[in-house]
Amino acid sequence: MTSLATIEKPTNKLVDMKNNEAVTSSLQVAQVFEIEHKHVIQSIRNLQVDIAKAENSALGTNADISMFYQDVYQVEGNFKKYPMFYMNKNGWTLLVMGFKGKKATQFKLQYIAQFDSMERQIKQQPIQTELSLPQNYAQALRQLANTVEENEQLKSELKVKRSQQLTLEAPQKLYTTDSIARELGYPSAAALNKQMHYEKFVYFKKGNWVLYKSYQNKCLKDMSTLHKSRLWTEEGRYFIKMRFGKEYLMP
């Protein structure tokens, strides 16, 4: 589900409704908490990697990867597209729980109040629908058609969410840097490694590209053998695609 957003003037409305769900955006969080948007984006991508790790752990979880979904936006007068994220209340809570300070607490309370208000409105909608009984055969047919359309839309959304989840699964499949580089349009693995090194993601040591310490415990590489330690897991491939895809790189 991708739409093109544009940066709007500051507003007191922190929460909006999309697909019958209360959400906010990474742009709104960056603006309200006075954080650079690129840092909010990176925090969300790190959370997605951690969620994928939890999903595939031996303990297993019920982590909902749909709490974040990616979109793009444009700045007025600029045709270039930039990445952004929408998030539901659970995603927002996960993201901002570490934000501290008196001002941050005030913003959190405002967000919570607006999330709760929006969710109450959503809960009231089915009640209003149930009380609106058809008065004739034509109205009954119209309501039936609307119900079928809504069910088809829900099925479509579930397929999209499931396809997103599948990209984070299948940890038994491993990838070379060269195959990921080709997938992203880089001319070679060396070119991709150069970009990842520039972003302080990997560094060269004893003939091999090694993850920086902050990324070593995120299951991005398969470490079962010395040979396989050169290969990326599905989580690693997903992380590289999200962070080093050419459309998201700084000029």
Side-chain angles (χ1 to χ4, degrees):
M1 178 182 308
T2 301
S3 60
L4 188 61
T6 56
I7 290 185
E8 300 176 351
K9 295 180 180 179
T11 174
N12 291 327
K13 187 176 182 182
L14 305 178
V15 179
D16 204 350
M17 185 186 299
K18 284 186 177 293
N19 306 316
N20 206 34
E21 184 176 32
V23 300
T24 189
S25 72
S26 56
L27 288 169
Q28 189 68 269
V29 170
Q31 175 185 295
V32 170
F33 289 94
E34 299 179 351
I35 302 171
E36 288 191 50
H37 186 235
K38 65 180 180 179
H39 295 321
V40 177
I41 288 286
Q42 188 56 57
S43 295
I44 292 173
R45 287 174 176 163
N46 290 341
L47 284 172
Q48 288 181 313
V49 173
D50 291 339
I51 291 170
K53 178 181 175 181
E55 279 274 296
N56 295 317
S57 69
L59 297 177
T61 71
N62 291 320
D64 183 6
I65 63 171
S66 66
M67 64 178 69
F68 299 104
Y69 60 92
Q70 188 163 326
D71 207 331
V72 294
Y73 74 95
Q74 284 181 308
V75 181
E76 188 174 353
N78 185 348
F79 293 102
K80 188 175 180 180
K81 297 177 182 179
Y82 301 90
M84 64 173 288
F85 282 89
Y86 286 104
M87 68 202 82
N88 60 20
K89 187 175 182 180
N90 289 340
W92 172 84
T93 302
L94 194 62
L95 175 64
V96 307
M97 64 171 55
F99 295 178
K100 297 181 180 180
K102 182 178 179 180
K103 196 173 182 180
T105 299
Q106 292 174 346
F107 289 142
K108 289 178 186 179
L109 292 174
Q110 292 177 29
Y111 262 110
I112 291 170
Q114 292 195 25
F115 266 118
D116 290 343
S117 175
M118 188 70 71
E119 288 172 352
R120 282 195 297 270
Q121 294 178 36
I122 294 172
K123 289 178 180 178
Q124 290 171 0
Q125 290 177 358
I127 297 175
Q128 295 171 354
T129 303
E130 291 172 4
L131 294 177
S132 180
L133 298 174
Q135 301 299 313
N136 52 52
Y137 183 68
Q139 288 185 10
L141 286 177
R142 183 66 260 170
Q143 285 191 12
L144 177 60
N146 289 339
T147 301
V148 171
E149 290 175 2
E150 290 173 359
N151 288 339
E152 289 301 318
Q153 183 178 354
L154 286 174
K155 287 180 182 178
S156 177
E157 292 172 5
L158 287 173
K159 286 181 180 178
V160 171
K161 290 181 179 180
R162 181 56 184 164
S163 66
Q164 293 173 342
Q165 184 176 7
L166 288 175
T167 63
L168 298 175
E169 295 176 353
Q172 72 280 3
K173 187 173 182 179
L174 302 175
Y175 301 86
T176 64
T177 304
D178 184 63
S179 67
I180 298 174
R182 290 197 305 271
E183 188 177 356
L184 295 179
Y186 284 85
S188 65
L192 177 55
N193 278 325
K194 181 179 179 181
Q195 181 63 43
M196 294 192 295
H197 177 60
Y198 176 78
E199 296 285 342
K200 296 189 181 300
F201 180 56
V202 297
Y203 63 94
F204 198 71
K205 180 181 179 181
K206 296 182 179 179
N208 193 15
W209 286 99
V210 182
L211 288 167
Y212 274 88
K213 187 175 181 180
S214 59
Y215 298 100
Q216 289 178 1
N217 295 322
K218 295 183 180 295
C219 295
L220 301 180
K221 280 194 172 185
D222 179 50
M223 305 300 293
S224 58
T225 68
L226 181 61
H227 175 68
K228 288 185 177 181
S229 68
R230 299 171 183 266
L231 301 179
W232 298 95
T233 62
E234 188 66 58
E235 290 91 338
R237 170 178 170 268
Y238 178 80
F239 182 89
I240 292 172
K241 288 180 66 178
M242 291 298 98
R243 180 165 176 181
F244 300 103
K246 285 192 172 182
E247 59 182 301
Y248 302 132
L249 294 180
M250 298 295 290

